[in-house]
Amino acid sequence: MTTSEYIAAALPRVAPEIAHKRVIVAHLGSGASLCALKNGKSVDCTFGFTALDGLCMGTRPGAIDPGVVLHLFQTLEMSAKEVEAMLYKESGLLGISGVSNDMRELQASQSPAARLAIDYFVYQAAKQIGALAAVLGGVDALVFTAGIGERSAEIRKRICAASAWLGLDLDDGANANNGPRISAAKSRVSAWVVPTNEELMIARHTASVLGI
């Protein structure tokens, strides 16, 4: 996961106080995932064998009951190509809302289905944050990144509110200003907004392979 790798490398500079602690990186965008870092190393993430697993995304469903796929094949008699298209291009925020895969458009919409899609996105993110906190044996910091994570103060606020039981207390003013630190000084778990640069990590890996 290039995003988590970038964030792990950036934390010693951006937020040295959490760089070697228990950190959950929330990459929230059209693609979405969470990664648990301990001492700067990934110990778990929400992706599985493919990027379909885990969180609800723009057009991908995230974790679903495998029986759903069997139902699509056996009962609805869909082809493999049709199921693939549904899972990769017609599910997630777009599939739930029937409006858009863009969080900005969903937040501007008055459609009940759009609100449901947002609610589900927040619910799944908070649920998986709790799961990764268990994996880490507690959490010291939550880092938001990518399109939604970096730009949507409202989504960050809702996820932090759902994660308040961990000891996370949001600073509304800092959150509205997009950080970098968006948690209150008294908060036991800190929260941050750290822009990512996946392209840079891809370029570095490419250069390494090519021996440049």
Side-chain angles (χ1 to χ4, degrees):
M1 295 174 65
T2 53
T3 292
S4 298
E5 184 181 8
Y6 178 86
I7 296 299
L11 287 181
R13 170 177 51 84
V14 178
E17 60 267 48
I18 65 168
H20 300 291
K21 293 186 176 181
R22 299 166 298 181
V23 178
I24 295 175
V25 179
H27 175 112
L28 305 179
S30 182
S33 64
L34 299 175
C35 182
L37 301 177
K38 181 179 285 187
N39 196 29
K41 302 294 183 181
S42 171
V43 297
D44 200 356
C45 73
T46 54
F47 279 159
F49 178 68
T50 71
L52 282 176
D53 201 6
L55 302 184
C56 173
M57 298 169 240
T59 61
R60 287 172 278 176
I64 59 172
D65 182 345
V68 171
V69 179
L70 294 177
H71 175 76
L72 297 178
F73 281 128
Q74 297 173 347
T75 304
L76 300 185
E77 298 183 344
M78 296 175 66
S79 69
K81 284 296 183 182
E82 289 172 328
V83 171
E84 180 182 30
M86 175 177 284
L87 294 178
Y88 278 97
K89 299 179 180 179
E90 301 167 3
S91 300
L93 295 176
L94 176 61
I96 296 171
S97 70
V99 174
S100 176
N101 67 326
D102 190 317
M103 183 62 76
R104 293 166 297 186
E105 294 182 18
L106 296 179
Q107 289 180 297
S109 174
Q110 298 302 310
S111 164
R115 291 195 293 273
L116 175 62
I118 296 171
D119 289 346
Y120 183 73
F121 182 88
V122 171
Y123 172 82
Q124 287 294 329
K127 177 181 177 180
Q128 295 301 326
I129 286 170
L132 290 185
V135 168
L136 289 168
V139 60
D140 299 301
L142 176 62
V143 175
F144 291 95
T145 191
I148 298 171
E150 294 173 27
R151 301 185 186 98
S152 180
E154 180 60 27
I155 296 299
R156 292 196 302 264
K157 181 177 181 178
R158 292 186 58 178
I159 291 174
C160 286
S163 304
W165 63 276
L166 290 168
L168 201 166
D169 185 13
L170 191 68
D171 181 321
D172 288 328
N175 184 46
N177 290 326
N178 296 321
R181 178 168 176 151
I182 61 173
S183 53
K186 65 179 182 179
S187 183
R188 184 172 61 81
V189 174
S190 61
W192 304 76
V193 177
V194 179
T196 188
N197 192 334
E198 294 178 276
E199 292 78 9
L200 175 61
M201 298 310 301
I202 292 170
R204 286 177 176 173
H205 284 297
T206 302
S208 177
V209 170
L210 296 176
I212 299 176

